[in-house]
Amino acid sequence: MALPLNQLPKEIVREVRSRKWLALLLFAVVSFSVLAAGFLWPYKYQSQVVIFVDDRNIIQPLMEGRAVATKVTEKVSAARELLGSRNVLEEIATDTEIYGDNAENIGPEALEGRINGLRYSMSVVPRGDNYFSIGYSSSSPLKTFRVAQKLGQAFIEENAKRKREESRSAYDFIDKQVKSYEQQIAEVEERLKKFLSENVDGTEADANSRLSNLQSRLELAQLEKEELQTRAQSLERELGGVSRTLRQGRTVDAYQERINSMEEQLDSLRLRYHDTYPDIVILREQLEELKKQRERAFEEQQLASEPSGSESIPNPVYQEVRSNLVTTNTDLETVETRISSIKRLIEEQKQRMERIQANKAQYSELTRDMEVNKEIYNDLLQRREKARVSMHLDIEGQGLNYKINEAAQYPTSPTGPKFSMFAMAGLLLGAVAPFGAIAGLLQIDPRIRSREQLEDVLDIAVLEHLPEVRTPFEKRRDRKVTMAVVVMAVLVAAAYVAVALASVFGVI
């Protein structure tokens, strides 16, 4: 049954007084155990290099848009990956300043163990937006200091090397692409030149313009043909109404008959056409001419005393009309020939249009390839110049740079708990250990030690209890034992302090 808390201190003191030697032994064992733990504790020394990320130098705004500085988005993770690479750690693992003159003459297994140890003991920690630290910890302060130095130097050198290689690789790649597109453009130009030399039909716009011109000429020729056909029909009708010969005595009457006939034709044409119609204009001119001829014939008839008989003579009107008909028929044949030629040219032009349409797809493909290749080529030219400037920026150490802001410092004290802390904790834990052990035993001891426990167990009231009575001899013996335990405790504490001080001052 657990002891009540208000009785616990009194019982602890009583038990300690009754077991003084055991408490002394527990004090000595716990104290020196903690002190031994301080001796055996693997103390770690740590040294670190603080790196400054210089991404705000003056060259960046000056070269913005003309060069691309190498960037690191995740600085800490990038630094951790770079330092964790095998080539960097292998170079440090074989460094003679750290591991001695025989550092390079080790087996593969030992080298692998060193690399794994370096990777495990290394740390990269962010320290603000533009700072992070590269640290290393080990049991040797000198090794810790030298490895931290090497890690910082290796990071700066490897990062600069990688930046130069990256920018150089980018420039070489873009330059290779530029040369490739130059060859492609030359090939496309040669194919386009060959295509244009083999296909001389011209463009679609020229063909359409030529076809439209031929169709306009064909329409005009057809209109002219219709006019000539109408005129020829009119002349044939007129020729049918004129006599081939004339009688001397009836010359004036013949003219009058012809005039009457032509006036009838003119009236008939005016009912269907305007006065500007070609046949009407021609008939009016012919009518005026016949009237003039009739007047001359009338004057000549009056001058003569009488007609000279009924001798027949060729009719000049008939001759004139027939001459006009022959001319009109000749012009009609000429127009028909021209119409046939124009139709043949139109047919040839249509065939030309078909050839142009057939070549249009190939020409469009060639020109499209040319435009796309030239666009990409011009863009690559600009990118190559940017890559060239970027490469020179990285070679000159401009752009994004890493600088050592704080060099590695030699560690003068280990990290974590120190030996002095173990020494002080040993005395304290040794002094508290007996009381703590007895307190724990009292909580699990089933014996009844107080009136309250008895009343709780038996559920009866305790009227009185008899106190412990010791004789004078027992009291004297207890005092002697107490004095001996105190003296031994002081001696144990003195020995403890002596050992601790000797270790602190380097005596042991």
Side-chain angles (χ1 to χ4, degrees):
M1 182 177 180
L3 187 68
L5 293 178
N6 58 353
Q7 297 293 327
L8 187 59
K10 181 180 178 180
E11 288 297 323
I12 290 174
V13 173
R14 189 177 67 83
E15 290 292 335
V16 171
R17 290 178 64 183
S18 64
R19 295 176 172 84
K20 297 181 179 67
W21 292 107
L22 183 59
L24 176 62
L25 179 61
L26 185 60
F27 166 71
V29 171
V30 172
S31 298
F32 279 96
S33 297
V34 175
L35 188 63
F39 278 109
L40 300 177
W41 183 263
Y43 295 103
K44 292 289 185 180
Y45 295 88
Q46 187 177 19
S47 180
Q48 60 184 5
V49 179
V50 178
I51 303 297
F52 170 63
V53 184
D54 184 14
D55 58 352
R56 299 177 182 176
N57 53 5
I58 193 173
I59 199 68
Q60 183 176 1
L62 293 177
M63 301 304 297
E64 185 175 3
R66 293 176 175 83
V68 180
T70 306
K71 296 182 179 180
V72 179
T73 55
E74 296 292 340
K75 305 178 183 65
V76 176
S77 61
R80 188 179 294 110
E81 292 176 2
L82 188 147
L83 291 174
S85 59
R86 183 176 180 83
N87 58 340
V88 175
L89 294 179
E90 185 174 351
E91 183 178 355
I92 297 176
T94 56
D95 194 288
T96 56
E97 294 182 2
I98 300 175
Y99 296 98
D101 296 334
N102 295 325
E104 299 179 353
N105 301 324
I106 59 174
E109 295 182 358
L111 179 61
E112 192 67 27
R114 285 184 184 178
I115 292 175
N116 292 333
L118 289 171
R119 187 179 287 116
Y120 176 76
S121 302
M122 179 186 62
S123 63
V124 181
V125 181
R127 299 182 61 177
D129 294 337
N130 293 328
Y131 293 89
F132 63 91
S133 61
I134 302 174
Y136 182 79
S137 61
S138 69
S139 58
S140 173
L142 181 59
K143 178 183 176 182
T144 301
F145 170 67
R146 288 179 176 176
V147 171
Q149 276 187 327
K150 292 295 181 179
L151 286 174
Q153 294 173 1
F155 174 75
I156 297 296
E157 294 173 0
E158 187 68 17
N159 180 74
K161 178 182 176 182
R162 290 192 178 186
K163 285 175 59 179
R164 290 193 296 269
E165 291 177 353
E166 180 183 353
S167 58
R168 181 67 187 182
S169 299
Y171 174 78
D172 291 341
F173 173 77
I174 297 177
D175 183 64
K176 183 179 179 181
Q177 295 298 316
V178 167
K179 293 179 180 178
S180 175
Y181 272 94
E182 285 179 352
Q183 184 178 0
Q184 293 181 18
I185 290 174
E187 293 176 356
V188 174
E189 288 179 346
E190 184 64 25
R191 292 201 304 268
L192 184 61
K193 180 180 178 181
K194 183 178 179 181
F195 174 81
L196 294 177
S197 62
E198 293 176 353
N199 298 274
V200 293
D201 292 325
T203 62
E204 183 178 3
D206 295 338
N208 287 329
S209 177
R210 175 64 175 168
L211 182 61
S212 177
N213 185 23
L214 289 175
Q215 289 176 347
S216 298
R217 291 173 57 185
L218 178 62
E219 292 175 358
L220 293 176
Q222 289 176 345
L223 289 176
E224 185 177 358
K225 177 182 176 181
E226 293 177 359
E227 293 176 357
L228 291 174
Q229 288 176 345
T230 303
R231 183 175 180 182
Q233 294 174 1
S234 176
L235 291 175
E236 288 177 355
R237 289 194 300 270
E238 183 180 356
L239 187 63
V242 177
S243 176
R244 293 187 178 184
T245 58
L246 294 175
R247 294 290 181 177
Q248 275 293 19
R250 296 182 295 175
T251 302
V252 177
D253 295 336
Y255 278 113
Q256 186 61 41
E257 292 177 358
R258 179 61 181 161
I259 290 171
N260 294 335
S261 175
M262 292 183 68
E263 286 178 350
E264 291 177 358
Q265 293 180 12
L266 181 61
D267 293 335
S268 176
L269 289 174
R270 281 181 175 178
L271 294 175
R272 292 178 294 171
Y273 303 103
H274 294 286
D275 291 340
T276 57
Y277 190 72
D279 290 346
I280 296 177
V281 174
I282 293 172
L283 285 176
R284 292 177 65 181
E285 293 176 355
Q286 293 177 355
L287 187 62
E288 293 294 329
E289 182 65 24
L290 285 175
K291 289 181 178 180
K292 292 180 181 180
Q293 291 179 4
R294 190 191 64 174
E295 293 295 332
R296 289 196 299 270
F298 182 73
E299 292 175 356
E300 291 175 357
Q301 186 176 1
Q302 286 182 348
L303 293 175
S305 58
E306 62 182 56
S308 58
S310 59
E311 183 181 358
S312 297
I313 61 174
N315 190 350
V317 175
Y318 180 84
Q319 297 294 331
E320 183 179 359
V321 172
R322 183 170 182 78
S323 176
N324 291 334
L325 179 60
V326 171
T327 303
T328 302
N329 289 331
T330 303
D331 293 340
L332 182 61
E333 292 178 357
T334 303
V335 171
E336 289 178 349
T337 303
R338 185 165 70 249
I339 290 174
S340 299
S341 299
I342 293 175
K343 287 182 178 180
R344 179 177 53 81
L345 292 176
I346 289 176
E347 187 64 26
E348 293 178 355
Q349 197 65 25
K350 289 181 178 179
Q351 295 176 359
R352 177 190 175 192
M353 283 291 295
E354 292 178 357
R355 293 194 302 270
I356 291 175
Q357 292 294 333
N359 296 329
K360 185 178 180 181
Q362 185 178 357
Y363 180 78
S364 300
E365 182 179 358
L366 291 174
T367 54
R368 182 173 60 252
D369 291 344
M370 175 70 70
E371 293 174 358
V372 171
N373 289 335
K374 282 187 176 181
E375 182 179 356
I376 298 176
Y377 175 72
N378 293 330
D379 181 66
L380 286 175
L381 284 179
Q382 296 179 359
R383 293 179 182 272
R384 185 177 67 176
E385 294 307 313
K386 290 182 179 180
R388 189 198 305 275
V389 178
S390 302
M391 181 176 62
H392 288 293
L393 283 177
D394 290 332
I395 293 175
E396 297 294 334
Q398 302 295 334
L400 177 64
N401 289 322
Y402 292 97
K403 298 179 180 179
I404 297 179
N405 188 62
E406 293 182 10
Q409 301 296 322
Y410 187 88
T412 56
S413 60
T415 58
K418 300 177 176 58
F419 180 77
S420 59
M421 297 175 63
F422 279 96
M424 291 185 292
L427 281 177
L428 180 60
L429 292 176
V432 174
F435 298 95
I438 291 175
L441 290 173
L442 290 175
Q443 295 299 318
I444 62 175
D445 189 3
R447 293 177 296 175
I448 297 175
R449 294 175 177 273
S450 65
R451 176 191 294 181
E452 289 81 358
Q453 286 180 297
L454 186 61
E455 290 177 349
D456 291 338
V457 172
L458 301 178
D459 197 15
I460 58 175
V462 178
L463 299 178
E464 191 58 53
H465 73 280
L466 297 176
E468 182 182 1
V469 178
R470 294 186 300 169
T471 63
F473 173 75
E474 290 175 343
K475 291 180 179 179
R476 287 193 302 270
R477 187 183 62 182
D478 186 64
R479 282 196 297 270
K480 290 179 181 179
V481 173
T482 302
M483 289 298 296
V485 171
V486 171
V487 171
M488 289 301 296
V490 172
L491 292 176
V492 170
Y496 182 91
V497 172
V499 173
L501 291 177
S503 178
V504 170
F505 290 105
V507 177
I508 58 175

